[in-house]
Amino acid sequence: MAAGISHHPAVDAPVFDTVALIGLGLIGSSLGRAIKKWGLARKVVGSARTQPTIDTSLKLGFIDEGYIDPADAVREADLVVICTPMGAYKAIGEAIGPALKPGAIVSDTGSTKASVIADLSPSLPAGVALVPAHPVAGTEHSGPEAGFAELYIDRWCILTPPEGSDPAAVAKVEALWKGCGSNIEIMEAGHHDRVLAVTSHVPHLIAYTIVGTAQDLETASAQEVIKFSAGGFRDFTRIAASDPTMWRDVFLHNRGAVLEILQRFSEDLTALQRAIRWGDGEQLHAFFTRTRGIRRKVIDARQAQPETPKKATEGG
Amino acid sequence: MAAGISHHPAVDAPVFDTVALIGLGLIGSSLGRAIKKWGLARKVVGSARTQPTIDTSLKLGFIDEGYIDPADAVREADLVVICTPMGAYKAIGEAIGPALKPGAIVSDTGSTKASVIADLSPSLPAGVALVPAHPVAGTEHSGPEAGFAELYIDRWCILTPPEGSDPAAVAKVEALWKGCGSNIEIMEAGHHDRVLAVTSHVPHLIAYTIVGTAQDLETASAQEVIKFSAGGFRDFTRIAASDPTMWRDVFLHNRGAVLEILQRFSEDLTALQRAIRWGDGEQLHAFFTRTRGIRRKVIDARQAQPETPKKATEGG
């Protein structure tokens, strides 16, 4: 994923005069740093729940001004990007609605999108455009210090503008993320939520679950589980180390799609469990052969580096 | 995982005069290369099912002689290491039993261990020691060309000698794997199988399952699933790309422990599924917080590199 500024498509910078970031954690601080690094806005104003986070962000230099009250942060903003866990969106929308400038654009970085439209639309005055966005990028670290300007380079940013959105507003949000190095995809919000339920939300829930199951065992000590985690479990611990508040909100805000995929997953797992119980080697082999091909396609799509043959990863 | 020969504990090389490798895929060829590279045996004899595999192995130089019939390969061997999928062990044991030299040691590299003792013991003549071994290492690649001498450096190798095993035989197998750079753990076979069911076998089954579930969806195209796999799914595709024959045999040979862990996993997943359905954010948050801590312990145990904060991995 390492890439330099040369990867960026040319955008006419600055894209915005003033951008307000509501939430200054990993995602907000990375966006702020990218805006600063590549001159995508003249001014960045930030809002966080605590003064120490604001002070750290000012010191790190990715915001020019900071406020506890999000309404204070958005008054001059041409673009507001909400970068908090999604459980806070509704209250933030209500707080900033009356303070928004006519013609302002409101966007976000949340991992589910239909809920964003439902939570924010009622609070936005006429003349303010809502362009929800989901940059599909992150790390297992949190907080303003964890951010870095290159986080979004070569990653997808999915925009889900509601039907009838102003094309000019969509184009400006698109230009901002292109300026951060992202590839843009435009999708209907509900479709986004179903795709991400499969590629992200349910995999995370499964990873959290198996790590929890392992912690509860009496037959293998926690120390042994950790010691021999190279066998496959290790990858799950990385996924299950993600931010608990963010992920709680993901599951609560994409309930329908997550439950639908989970139901299918459970059926498929039960079928394999039955094959193991009854010693049906042919069924197992056929299933494992079928799933193998998708890895090559993922690598071809440049979503994963082909693993170097000279690096040990895991065993049985 | 990169490490040089300097990491190796000193062993008196050669440990064996003649080693026979039955199976010349990733695991067997890596062991052969390590034996050659660090002079752990004077001679390596190989056996594979097809002449092209034998010819490739001779050309790559990690065996000195090769035979289709495993009995021919073991006649002079002081140590025989079976490196095939576990479904072949019983027939191999029956084939090599009468050809084994008095005082020979038989070992293997399989991912389950109680089944190995059950499958091989009946065929081994008196005076031949069985010292099952499981090097917890691998890659997603297969075949003799995929092997490399450094595969086992800094990885665990678990030995599960049956009760009453000759300590001298165990010590020699231990010395061989130390010579390959591995760390040694000695465990009861059944306990090994329960620990690995959690750290490896069930995680693999889950990864295979979710990749299969995704392939079957009508709501998201296969292309979209691949495109947005960076959200977490990507890690599962890597695990689910593992060798189908090897993994079929793992599940058939560790049925009891795998079914036990699967049952617990399903219960835990059902509890989270219910929390999502009923909007119980507190339960979700508490669970996700609890599982986060184990990641730090895995990193502390040097089973995973701490992810560099400057590298994007995944998002929601």
Side-chain angles (χ1 to χ4, degrees):
Chain A
M1 291 302 119
I5 191 170
S6 61
H7 277 224
H8 286 207
V11 295
D12 286 332
V15 182
F16 291 99
D17 187 81
T18 301
V19 172
L21 303 175
I22 313 301
L24 303 172
L26 168 72
I27 296 297
S29 95
S30 294
L31 180 55
R33 289 168 203 247
I35 290 171
K36 287 291 176 194
K37 183 161 186 174
W38 293 299
L40 302 170
R42 195 186 53 80
K43 184 171 166 185
V44 180
V45 183
S47 175
R49 281 175 309 169
T50 68
Q51 195 60 42
T53 300
I54 292 171
D55 293 342
T56 301
S57 303
L58 286 165
K59 201 174 148 195
L60 289 168
F62 65 82
I63 62 172
D64 301 295
E65 294 171 20
Y67 302 92
I68 298 277
D69 185 343
D72 291 333
V74 306
R75 291 186 206 288
E76 293 175 40
D78 306 290
L79 172 71
V80 177
V81 188
I82 305 176
C83 309
T84 67
M86 290 173 302
Y89 278 28
K90 203 162 181 169
I92 289 169
E94 287 162 6
I96 66 175
L100 289 166
K101 224 167 66 165
I105 301 169
V106 173
S107 186
D108 78 309
T109 58
S111 303
T112 78
K113 299 267 64 89
S115 66
V116 171
I117 297 173
D119 285 352
L120 291 181
S121 295
S123 315
L124 302 185
V128 167
L130 175 62
V131 184
H134 176 199
V136 186
T139 74
E140 64 185 86
H141 303 280
S142 319
E145 296 93 342
F148 52 102
E150 298 78 11
L151 177 64
Y152 304 112
I153 292 179
D154 283 344
R155 310 311 299 255
W156 288 103
C157 185
I158 306 173
L159 307 185
T160 65
E163 218 176 332
S165 292
D166 175 12
V170 177
K172 287 195 82 173
V173 175
E174 183 170 344
L176 178 81
W177 285 104
K178 277 190 178 164
C180 295
S182 300
N183 303 312
I184 308 297
E185 181 88 8
I186 294 185
M187 235 184 243
E188 187 271 321
H191 186 70
H192 164 280
D193 291 354
R194 287 188 293 274
V195 171
L196 272 288
V198 188
T199 59
S200 175
H201 306 168
V202 169
H204 270 78
L205 194 72
I206 290 169
Y208 276 120
T209 305
I210 185 69
V211 171
T213 303
Q215 281 183 311
D216 289 338
L217 289 178
E218 315 83 29
T219 47
S221 72
Q223 207 192 332
E224 283 177 316
V225 168
I226 289 161
K227 205 163 168 180
F228 304 110
S229 67
F233 186 72
R234 188 179 52 183
D235 290 332
F236 290 76
T237 65
R238 189 176 62 72
I239 299 176
S242 307
D243 184 61
T245 304
M246 171 190 153
W247 282 98
R248 174 199 65 196
D249 287 358
V250 167
F251 296 116
L252 296 179
H253 288 79
N254 196 17
R255 192 183 308 200
V258 166
L259 291 176
E260 157 73 14
I261 302 296
L262 266 182
Q263 185 57 41
R264 285 168 174 258
F265 168 79
S266 295
E267 287 166 18
D268 293 344
L269 187 62
T270 300
L272 291 178
Q273 188 169 346
R274 191 172 186 280
I276 292 170
R277 192 176 299 280
W278 292 96
D280 188 344
E282 274 179 46
Q283 190 190 336
L284 293 173
H285 193 273
F287 191 87
F288 299 161
T289 303
R290 181 162 78 83
T291 55
R292 199 177 199 189
I294 206 166
R295 176 66 180 168
R296 173 54 48 196
K297 292 180 192 156
V298 167
I299 291 171
D300 291 346
R302 296 187 46 224
Q303 282 292 334
Q305 306 295 332
E307 190 186 338
T308 158
K310 302 299 177 218
K311 191 175 153 245
T313 52
E314 71 203 37
Chain B
M1 295 299 118
I5 189 170
S6 62
H7 277 225
H8 287 207
V11 295
D12 287 332
V15 182
F16 291 99
D17 186 82
T18 301
V19 172
L21 303 175
I22 314 300
L24 302 172
L26 168 72
I27 296 297
S29 95
S30 293
L31 181 54
R33 289 167 203 248
I35 290 172
K36 287 291 176 192
K37 183 161 185 174
W38 293 299
L40 302 170
R42 193 185 55 79
K43 184 172 166 184
V44 179
V45 183
S47 175
R49 281 175 309 169
T50 68
Q51 195 60 43
T53 301
I54 292 172
D55 293 342
T56 301
S57 302
L58 285 166
K59 201 172 149 195
L60 290 168
F62 66 82
I63 62 171
D64 301 297
E65 294 171 22
Y67 302 93
I68 298 279
D69 185 344
D72 292 333
V74 306
R75 290 187 207 287
E76 292 175 40
D78 306 291
L79 172 71
V80 177
V81 187
I82 305 176
C83 309
T84 67
M86 289 174 302
Y89 279 26
K90 204 163 180 168
I92 290 169
E94 286 161 6
I96 66 174
L100 289 166
K101 224 168 64 166
I105 301 169
V106 172
S107 187
D108 78 309
T109 58
S111 303
T112 78
K113 299 268 62 92
S115 67
V116 171
I117 297 174
D119 285 353
L120 291 180
S121 295
S123 314
L124 302 185
V128 166
L130 176 61
V131 184
H134 177 199
V136 186
T139 74
E140 65 185 86
H141 304 280
S142 319
E145 297 93 343
F148 53 103
E150 297 77 12
L151 177 63
Y152 304 113
I153 293 178
D154 283 343
R155 310 311 298 255
W156 288 102
C157 183
I158 306 173
L159 307 185
T160 65
E163 220 178 329
S165 291
D166 175 12
V170 177
K172 287 195 81 173
V173 175
E174 184 170 344
L176 178 82
W177 285 104
K178 278 190 178 162
C180 294
S182 300
N183 304 311
I184 309 297
E185 182 88 7
I186 294 185
M187 234 184 244
E188 187 271 320
H191 186 70
H192 165 279
D193 291 355
R194 288 188 293 274
V195 171
L196 271 289
V198 187
T199 60
S200 174
H201 306 169
V202 169
H204 271 78
L205 194 72
I206 291 168
Y208 276 120
T209 306
I210 186 68
V211 172
T213 304
Q215 281 183 310
D216 289 339
L217 289 178
E218 315 82 30
T219 46
S221 72
Q223 206 191 334
E224 281 176 317
V225 168
I226 289 161
K227 204 163 167 180
F228 303 109
S229 66
F233 186 71
R234 189 178 51 181
D235 290 332
F236 290 76
T237 66
R238 188 176 62 71
I239 299 177
S242 307
D243 183 62
T245 305
M246 171 190 153
W247 281 98
R248 175 198 65 196
D249 287 358
V250 167
F251 296 116
L252 296 180
H253 288 79
N254 197 17
R255 192 183 308 201
V258 166
L259 291 176
E260 158 74 14
I261 302 297
L262 266 182
Q263 186 56 40
R264 285 167 174 259
F265 169 79
S266 295
E267 288 166 17
D268 293 344
L269 187 62
T270 300
L272 290 178
Q273 188 169 346
R274 189 170 187 282
I276 293 170
R277 193 176 299 279
W278 292 95
D280 187 345
E282 274 180 45
Q283 190 189 335
L284 294 172
H285 193 273
F287 191 88
F288 300 162
T289 303
R290 182 161 77 84
T291 56
R292 199 177 199 189
I294 205 165
R295 177 66 179 168
R296 172 53 50 196
K297 292 179 192 158
V298 167
I299 291 171
D300 292 345
R302 297 186 47 224
Q303 283 292 334
Q305 307 295 331
E307 190 187 336
T308 158
K310 302 300 177 217
K311 191 178 154 242
T313 53
E314 70 202 39

